[in-house]
Amino acid sequence: MYLARILYPVKVLGPGNRVGIWFCGCPRRCEGCSNPELLEFQKRYETSLETVMSLIKKIAQNHVVDGFTITGGDPFFQPEDLSHLLKEIKQISDDIIVYTGYMKDELPTTLLKNIAVLIDAPYIKARNNNCLLRGSDNQTIYILSEKYRDAYKKYLATAENQIQNFATRDGYISVGIHRPDFKF
Ligand code: SF4
């Protein structure tokens, strides 16, 4: 699988202290994509589910994991790896947000059943209107899990967009929904 980064605690892409997971690779080329460095399927980001889960389990052993947010790249371009990962992380928390450039109706229900919240559709720069959790307002937030429906309704009604910066081996990484004119 091609997976570029795992960050914790991500507090700006969903409620609580989340493990953020960035897949690598997306053949779409949305103008203004917030992670252009992750669009190619890069060899240096090739890894295994075992390696990824070992890291995530270490985080979960030592910290509270309220949920996961999976983005990229587009995770649905690696559907089998995504499926395996969802089944594994669900054992830690089933509050799982997944971003995709596909439309929801294009996605297999076998994958959707392990996702609490799906945010779909390609990013459209001209429609970046500072929406909570959404890069552009053509995207839809689907609360797929009944268990989390009320919690997410409350979160979406009360939370505000924020940016969070992480110092990593690859330099500083800014996480969150950025406006088109954002400069780090
Ligand atoms: S679908 Fe998402 S990851 Fe792919 S190019 Fe568009 S914004 Fe970037």
Side-chain angles (χ1 to χ4, degrees):
M1 66 194 300
Y2 293 87
L3 197 149
R5 66 179 74 118
I6 294 173
L7 296 175
Y8 175 89
V10 173
K11 298 169 181 278
V12 296
L13 291 175
N17 292 325
R18 312 180 71 83
V19 176
I21 300 172
W22 279 259
F23 273 63
C24 179
C26 177
R28 289 192 194 86
R29 292 294 182 268
C30 305
E31 184 192 355
C33 170
S34 60
N35 296 315
E37 75 281 10
L38 303 184
L39 297 184
E40 300 295 335
F41 293 88
Q42 298 165 64
K43 190 80 185 157
R44 70 183 177 125
Y45 290 135
E46 194 170 7
T47 184
S48 65
L49 181 67
E50 290 70 29
T51 303
V52 169
M53 284 313 302
S54 163
L55 185 55
I56 289 173
K57 282 176 183 167
K58 267 189 208 150
I59 295 171
Q61 272 164 13
N62 297 303
H63 306 279
V64 173
V65 173
D66 294 310
F68 294 89
T69 297
I70 304 178
T71 181
D74 188 334
F76 280 92
F77 280 103
Q78 301 178 67
E80 284 186 19
D81 293 312
L82 176 62
S83 174
H84 293 140
L85 180 67
L86 289 170
K87 283 177 193 155
E88 290 283 337
I89 61 175
K90 211 176 163 184
Q91 311 302 319
I92 298 169
S93 170
D94 58 359
D95 178 351
I96 303 171
I97 299 175
V98 183
Y99 282 85
T100 182
Y102 283 103
M103 305 307 289
K104 175 174 168 282
D105 291 348
E106 297 177 291
L107 300 172
T109 50
T110 48
L111 282 181
L112 295 180
K113 73 172 195 242
N114 287 320
I115 294 172
V117 175
L118 179 83
I119 302 167
D120 80 346
Y123 172 67
I124 300 176
K125 188 178 171 186
R127 293 182 63 173
N128 180 333
N129 289 320
N130 200 27
C131 304
L132 184 64
L133 291 184
R134 295 181 295 158
S136 52
D137 65 12
N138 61 303
Q139 298 172 328
T140 302
I141 300 172
Y142 293 97
I143 305 171
L144 303 176
S145 162
E146 277 309 314
K147 177 178 170 185
Y148 291 107
R149 184 164 299 279
D150 289 346
Y152 270 92
K153 276 188 179 169
K154 187 172 170 197
Y155 174 78
L156 292 169
T158 56
E160 291 180 358
N161 260 339
Q162 290 183 311
I163 299 299
Q164 189 183 6
N165 298 323
F166 287 83
T168 76
R169 267 191 323 201
D170 294 336
Y172 284 98
I173 292 171
S174 189
V175 175
I177 306 296
H178 299 89
R179 299 306 308 270
D181 56 358
F182 174 82
K183 289 203 175 27
F184 191 68

